[in-house]
Amino acid sequence: MFAEIELETEFKERLERNYDELKWLYAELYHNDGQAFDYFLTMLHEFYHSRPEELREQDRVREEHPDWYKGNDMLGMLLYTRCFGKTLDGVREKLDYLKESGVNYVHLMPLLESPEGRSDGGYAVSDFRKIQPELGSMEDLAALASDCRKRGMSLCLDFVMNHTSEEHEWAVRARNGEKEFQDRYFFFDNWNIPNEFEKTVPQVFPQTAPGNFTWCEAVQKVVMTTFYPYQWDLNYANPTVFNDMCSNMLYLCNIGADVFRLDAVPYIWKRLGTNCRNLPEVHTLVRILRMATEIVCPGTLLLGEVVMEPSKVVPYFGSRGKPECQMLYNVTTMASTWHTVATKDVRLLKHQLGQVFSLPKEYIFLNYLRCHDDIGWGLDFPFLAQFGVREVEHKRFLNHYFLGDFPGSDSRGELYNDDPRLGDARLCGTTASLCGIEAAEYEGDEEKLDKAIRLDIMLHAFLLSQSGIPVIYSGDEIGQRNDYSYHEDPLKWSDSRYLHRGRFPWEEAKRRKMKESREGRIFRAIQRLVKLREKHGVFESAADVWILECWNDHVLGIGRYYKGEKLLALFNFSEEEQTAWINEVEDYTDLLSRKKCPAKGVSVPGYGFFWLCTRFR
């Protein structure tokens, strides 16, 4: 009885801290629908009481240490259950490998039930409370989450907010004519209003899924489908949709998820006459979700997937008084990095990083080189215009470079969603293949291979030099190459993103113990960098960070300072040796060679880097 009273007190205290704002935002969004709000609060209370005690204890520890995810010891890995371990139990069996890799943040790509052949890689969810059968069960997921906790690993899951599969129960009932469930989506009796939307709403996949609406033959109506025709957009203006989707998220939270990647979050509110992106109501919904987690499961984090320019991304952090997501993807740095690989010119990357470095230190970005998705060339073209760069021509150059069609390029990639009309396309490929490792091994050219491996390792060093959480895409730690077998699978061959979604090569992974192998060289180098990052406080997210001027457009310089420790990180994006024309007065040591290295006119080998460190007493 006493324990129940104590629990009730904890819930009430958390609710009271958020109640006034929560009620005001909910009432504003849903027109003072008191019944819906009461249901929402009751739902929060039920999930709080059903939360396992092990997770409640973790919540309390994290409440005491709210910056638990901001340290320099964080390293993430992004993986597909089927590709990495075949099943959730298979992933459990491979946790020791992840631990060996230094990973303490595991992001499992979509694994909820979705229809075969119309799953969009798992992003067309037909049941938010069931695992895709061939991967396992919710009990298996809970067991995996528990094993991760015992190893000090956090577990991240995707939460698809914008839409459901057309096979979801709500969609099936809507297709059967039930108005209550049609109201959970956007149904129209004819094309008049959809045509008005099309005047202002961009197309996400203009080639593979043109338009934002689909005719539903079963009910003779038009339904909104922003992504693919089999993904029906949810209508968050209906409070029942929000309440039930929040309930689905909290259900997964109580299974053991520590982080939720909010998929396509900018799209979740629609209004005629707008582009239906980043509308104010989106931020209201994310803010309410944040408060819901602070009440039920305060050890849980929200990660926003906002694949847009920095001015659109940063608002999803919210404000200090009204925070939204704890973490966001640093997509612009990723795209700018690959631009720099192709051009060998660091000026755009310096400009973009300068914007990131100027943001408050409590803003935590997930930094990455590659992920499950394509590379979109959303670069700062107004900045590049001053150098005579034109958007269409430059995108064409970048794509040709990474296809390997440009003189001197050893990259191997494929285009995604090519739009000849606009002269636009996105790019697919693994880090290793884009760096030239695949081509070098195919040709048996050791000199090319050595150069490609140096570039691969340098890019990972750059990744680990940034503030925030570095995330490695599974396979990159051993230089996994493109998998072309998707061309032979009719369920995959129309989506070139499967090029870098191949099965994890466990036979190749065994060679990570061989020092001279490609796998061993990359694995050992990344491990060493990760350990150095963890050892030195200068890599903390709270550090001061700035662009270090090197007076050489091939060399990127980053400075970091934290509690008496100063780091100068130098990265040469050219194949040739370059000089970083810096002139620092302190005595520096190269962290990798442990040799003294004056920070004056530093010669950096082609595709090489330095981490130069000094301490002030």
Side-chain angles (χ1 to χ4, degrees), residues 289-532:
L289 279 180
R290 172 69 179 264
M291 287 189 284
T293 61
E294 289 179 352
I295 293 166
V296 176
C297 45
T300 305
L301 305 176
L302 300 180
L303 164 63
E305 190 229 4
V306 187
V307 185
M308 295 175 178
E309 62 270 24
S311 63
K312 300 290 196 308
V313 172
V314 171
Y316 285 88
F317 283 118
S319 64
R320 292 183 179 181
K322 301 182 188 304
E324 296 177 26
C325 295
Q326 285 96 339
M327 304 183 294
L328 295 173
Y329 282 100
N330 191 355
V331 62
T332 309
T333 295
M334 180 276 297
S336 299
T337 300
W338 289 107
H339 153 92
T340 308
V341 169
T343 63
K344 328 290 187 201
D345 189 320
V346 302
R347 286 176 292 182
L348 174 65
L349 191 54
K350 284 166 58 179
H351 170 71
Q352 194 272 319
L353 286 172
Q355 294 176 315
V356 175
F357 294 165
S358 68
L359 296 172
K361 295 184 180 68
E362 60 263 33
Y363 288 0
I364 300 298
F365 284 101
L366 261 73
N367 303 304
Y368 62 105
L369 296 175
R370 290 296 295 116
C371 69
H372 70 291
D373 224 338
D374 54 273
I375 301 174
W377 300 117
L379 307 174
D380 190 340
F381 284 102
F383 174 82
L384 288 172
Q386 66 183 302
F387 308 114
V389 174
R390 296 179 179 178
E391 181 171 349
V392 173
E393 288 87 345
H394 192 60
K395 286 180 176 179
R396 189 176 295 119
F397 155 71
L398 292 171
N399 285 324
H400 278 293
Y401 183 92
F402 288 111
L403 289 176
D405 292 342
F406 194 82
S409 169
D410 292 310
S411 292
R412 296 294 181 266
E414 290 185 354
L415 298 184
Y416 175 68
N417 216 48
D418 189 10
D419 187 352
R421 180 176 58 89
L422 297 176
D424 198 4
R426 290 177 267 180
L427 186 83
C428 299
T430 67
T431 296
S433 291
L434 296 180
C435 284
I437 287 174
E438 177 186 323
E441 290 187 334
Y442 178 80
E443 296 170 16
D445 190 322
E446 289 298 324
E447 186 177 341
K448 275 189 179 182
L449 180 60
D450 182 66
K451 179 181 71 174
I453 290 175
R454 288 202 316 272
L455 173 58
D456 190 300
I457 293 170
M458 184 271 283
L459 291 178
H460 280 93
F462 167 57
L463 171 70
L464 292 163
S465 300
Q466 300 170 56
S467 294
I469 301 177
V471 178
I472 296 174
Y473 188 47
S474 173
D476 275 5
E477 76 280 7
I478 57 169
Q480 182 174 350
R481 299 156 300 178
N482 292 337
D483 182 353
Y484 297 95
S485 66
Y486 85 93
H487 287 290
E488 301 163 11
D489 187 338
L491 296 179
K492 297 178 180 178
W493 60 29
S494 63
D495 189 341
S496 56
R497 291 175 298 181
Y498 284 103
L499 181 70
H500 51 260
R501 296 177 181 175
R503 291 194 179 278
F504 185 82
W506 285 106
E507 287 303 312
E508 292 183 24
K510 292 177 182 177
R511 294 199 288 272
R512 70 187 184 278
K513 305 291 187 182
M514 300 166 59
K515 289 186 177 181
E516 299 308 315
S517 69
R518 172 252 301 168
E519 297 87 353
R521 291 171 66 184
I522 295 175
F523 188 84
R524 191 171 64 256
I526 294 176
Q527 268 199 319
R528 189 177 182 197
L529 292 170
V530 167
K531 289 176 182 176
L532 284 170

Side-chain angles (χ1 to χ4, degrees), residues 210-237:
N212 292 284
F213 295 87
T214 300
W215 176 254
C216 181
E217 187 68 28
V219 291
Q220 295 290 293
K221 292 185 178 183
V222 182
V223 63
M224 180 176 272
T225 54
T226 299
F227 289 84
Y228 285 102
Y230 52 77
Q231 292 168 313
W232 291 8
D233 288 50
L234 288 166
N235 181 5
Y236 279 92

